[in-house]
mmCIF file of all heavy atoms in Angstrom:
data_model
loop_
_atom_site.group_PDB
_atom_site.id
_atom_site.type_symbol
_atom_site.label_atom_id
_atom_site.label_comp_id
_atom_site.label_asym_id
_atom_site.label_seq_id
_atom_site.Cartn_x
_atom_site.Cartn_y
_atom_site.Cartn_z
ATOM 1 N N ASP A 50 -383.832 54.813 -55.072
ATOM 2 C CA ASP A 50 -384.454 55.446 -56.241
ATOM 3 C C ASP A 50 -383.396 55.530 -57.322
ATOM 4 O O ASP A 50 -382.288 56.043 -57.095
ATOM 5 C CB ASP A 50 -384.957 56.847 -55.887
ATOM 6 C CG ASP A 50 -386.230 56.813 -55.064
ATOM 7 O OD1 ASP A 50 -387.069 55.929 -55.320
ATOM 8 O OD2 ASP A 50 -386.348 57.645 -54.148
ATOM 9 N N ARG A 51 -383.707 55.031 -58.514
ATOM 10 C CA ARG A 51 -382.729 54.960 -59.601
ATOM 11 C C ARG A 51 -382.790 56.241 -60.437
ATOM 12 O O ARG A 51 -383.497 56.328 -61.444
ATOM 13 C CB ARG A 51 -382.965 53.710 -60.442
ATOM 14 C CG ARG A 51 -382.565 52.438 -59.697
ATOM 15 C CD ARG A 51 -383.172 51.178 -60.314
ATOM 16 N NE ARG A 51 -382.638 49.969 -59.697
ATOM 17 C CZ ARG A 51 -383.008 49.526 -58.505
ATOM 18 N NH1 ARG A 51 -383.907 50.217 -57.794
ATOM 19 N NH2 ARG A 51 -382.481 48.413 -58.020
ATOM 20 N N LEU A 52 -382.058 57.246 -59.980
ATOM 21 C CA LEU A 52 -381.980 58.518 -60.684
ATOM 22 C C LEU A 52 -380.802 58.486 -61.651
ATOM 23 O O LEU A 52 -379.893 57.646 -61.507
ATOM 24 C CB LEU A 52 -381.828 59.667 -59.678
ATOM 25 C CG LEU A 52 -382.951 59.778 -58.629
ATOM 26 C CD1 LEU A 52 -382.695 60.956 -57.698
ATOM 27 C CD2 LEU A 52 -384.301 59.893 -59.308
ATOM 28 N N PRO A 53 -380.759 59.388 -62.635
ATOM 29 C CA PRO A 53 -379.685 59.347 -63.643
ATOM 30 C C PRO A 53 -378.289 59.401 -63.050
ATOM 31 O O PRO A 53 -377.377 58.728 -63.545
ATOM 32 C CB PRO A 53 -379.985 60.582 -64.512
ATOM 33 C CG PRO A 53 -381.449 60.807 -64.350
ATOM 34 C CD PRO A 53 -381.778 60.408 -62.946
ATOM 35 N N ARG A 54 -378.047 60.203 -62.059
ATOM 36 C CA ARG A 54 -376.696 60.378 -61.540
ATOM 37 C C ARG A 54 -376.500 59.904 -60.103
ATOM 38 O O ARG A 54 -375.414 60.063 -59.547
ATOM 39 C CB ARG A 54 -376.298 61.857 -61.629
ATOM 40 C CG ARG A 54 -376.231 62.382 -63.048
ATOM 41 C CD ARG A 54 -375.780 63.819 -63.063
ATOM 42 N NE ARG A 54 -375.684 64.318 -64.427
ATOM 43 C CZ ARG A 54 -374.628 64.159 -65.213
ATOM 44 N NH1 ARG A 54 -373.567 63.510 -64.769
ATOM 45 N NH2 ARG A 54 -374.624 64.638 -66.450
ATOM 46 N N SER A 55 -377.534 59.358 -59.476
ATOM 47 C CA SER A 55 -377.395 58.947 -58.075
ATOM 48 C C SER A 55 -378.374 57.836 -57.743
ATOM 49 O O SER A 55 -379.274 57.528 -58.535
ATOM 50 C CB SER A 55 -377.636 60.142 -57.152
ATOM 51 O OG SER A 55 -378.972 60.610 -57.283
ATOM 52 N N ARG A 56 -378.182 57.243 -56.577
ATOM 53 C CA ARG A 56 -379.055 56.183 -56.095
ATOM 54 C C ARG A 56 -379.437 56.495 -54.642
ATOM 55 O O ARG A 56 -378.993 55.842 -53.708
ATOM 56 C CB ARG A 56 -378.353 54.815 -56.168
ATOM 57 C CG ARG A 56 -378.067 54.306 -57.571
ATOM 58 C CD ARG A 56 -379.367 53.962 -58.308
ATOM 59 N NE ARG A 56 -379.078 53.317 -59.582
ATOM 60 C CZ ARG A 56 -378.862 53.953 -60.711
ATOM 61 N NH1 ARG A 56 -378.863 55.276 -60.724
ATOM 62 N NH2 ARG A 56 -378.635 53.299 -61.842
ATOM 63 N N PRO A 57 -380.255 57.536 -54.420
ATOM 64 C CA PRO A 57 -380.648 57.856 -53.046
ATOM 65 C C PRO A 57 -381.515 56.738 -52.449
ATOM 66 O O PRO A 57 -382.246 56.052 -53.157
ATOM 67 C CB PRO A 57 -381.437 59.157 -53.199
ATOM 68 C CG PRO A 57 -381.953 59.116 -54.596
ATOM 69 C CD PRO A 57 -380.892 58.435 -55.407
ATOM 70 N N LEU A 58 -381.397 56.559 -51.140
ATOM 71 C CA LEU A 58 -382.156 55.506 -50.462
ATOM 72 C C LEU A 58 -383.617 55.894 -50.356
ATOM 73 O O LEU A 58 -383.970 57.056 -50.132
ATOM 74 C CB LEU A 58 -381.595 55.268 -49.060
ATOM 75 C CG LEU A 58 -380.139 54.829 -48.940
ATOM 76 C CD1 LEU A 58 -379.793 54.561 -47.489
ATOM 77 C CD2 LEU A 58 -379.848 53.595 -49.796
ATOM 78 N N THR A 59 -384.468 54.910 -50.517
ATOM 79 C CA THR A 59 -385.890 55.111 -50.254
ATOM 80 C C THR A 59 -386.104 55.068 -48.740
ATOM 81 O O THR A 59 -385.180 54.825 -47.960
ATOM 82 C CB THR A 59 -386.711 54.000 -50.910
ATOM 83 O OG1 THR A 59 -386.347 52.741 -50.311
ATOM 84 C CG2 THR A 59 -386.468 53.940 -52.409
ATOM 85 N N GLU A 60 -387.313 55.240 -48.315
ATOM 86 C CA GLU A 60 -387.624 55.156 -46.885
ATOM 87 C C GLU A 60 -387.282 53.770 -46.353
ATOM 88 O O GLU A 60 -386.705 53.622 -45.275
ATOM 89 C CB GLU A 60 -389.099 55.487 -46.650
ATOM 90 C CG GLU A 60 -389.478 55.506 -45.168
ATOM 91 C CD GLU A 60 -390.919 55.916 -44.945
ATOM 92 O OE1 GLU A 60 -391.549 56.449 -45.886
ATOM 93 O OE2 GLU A 60 -391.406 55.706 -43.828
ATOM 94 N N ASP A 61 -387.639 52.710 -47.127
ATOM 95 C CA ASP A 61 -387.297 51.348 -46.711
ATOM 96 C C ASP A 61 -385.785 51.135 -46.710
ATOM 97 O O ASP A 61 -385.235 50.437 -45.849
ATOM 98 C CB ASP A 61 -387.958 50.327 -47.654
ATOM 99 C CG ASP A 61 -389.469 50.237 -47.442
ATOM 100 O OD1 ASP A 61 -389.910 50.521 -46.312
ATOM 101 O OD2 ASP A 61 -390.176 49.882 -48.396
ATOM 102 N N GLY A 62 -385.123 51.759 -47.693
ATOM 103 C CA GLY A 62 -383.674 51.633 -47.742
ATOM 104 C C GLY A 62 -383.011 52.254 -46.528
ATOM 105 O O GLY A 62 -382.055 51.703 -45.957
ATOM 106 N N ARG A 63 -383.528 53.434 -46.093
ATOM 107 C CA ARG A 63 -382.961 54.093 -44.920
ATOM 108 C C ARG A 63 -383.217 53.258 -43.662
ATOM 109 O O ARG A 63 -382.353 53.157 -42.779
ATOM 110 C CB ARG A 63 -383.543 55.503 -44.776
ATOM 111 C CG ARG A 63 -383.031 56.490 -45.837
ATOM 112 C CD ARG A 63 -383.432 57.914 -45.496
ATOM 113 N NE ARG A 63 -384.879 58.122 -45.576
ATOM 114 C CZ ARG A 63 -385.534 58.449 -46.681
ATOM 115 N NH1 ARG A 63 -384.870 58.625 -47.816
ATOM 116 N NH2 ARG A 63 -386.834 58.623 -46.666
ATOM 117 N N ALA A 64 -384.391 52.638 -43.590
ATOM 118 C CA ALA A 64 -384.710 51.787 -42.429
ATOM 119 C C ALA A 64 -383.763 50.585 -42.372
ATOM 120 O O ALA A 64 -383.238 50.231 -41.311
ATOM 121 C CB ALA A 64 -386.159 51.320 -42.501
ATOM 122 N N LEU A 65 -383.537 49.975 -43.534
ATOM 123 C CA LEU A 65 -382.624 48.834 -43.569
ATOM 124 C C LEU A 65 -381.198 49.269 -43.248
ATOM 125 O O LEU A 65 -380.460 48.567 -42.546
ATOM 126 C CB LEU A 65 -382.675 48.176 -44.951
ATOM 127 C CG LEU A 65 -381.770 46.950 -45.138
ATOM 128 C CD1 LEU A 65 -382.089 45.853 -44.123
ATOM 129 C CD2 LEU A 65 -381.902 46.406 -46.567
ATOM 130 N N SER A 66 -380.823 50.440 -43.713
ATOM 131 C CA SER A 66 -379.483 50.952 -43.450
ATOM 132 C C SER A 66 -379.248 51.133 -41.951
ATOM 133 O O SER A 66 -378.163 50.838 -41.432
ATOM 134 C CB SER A 66 -379.275 52.278 -44.184
ATOM 135 O OG SER A 66 -377.988 52.801 -43.900
#
Side-chain angles (χ1 to χ4, degrees):
D50 285 323
R51 288 162 173 76
L52 302 180
R54 296 182 179 275
S55 64
R56 293 292 187 273
L58 300 184
T59 63
E60 184 177 345
D61 288 333
R63 288 191 293 273
L65 180 58
S66 178

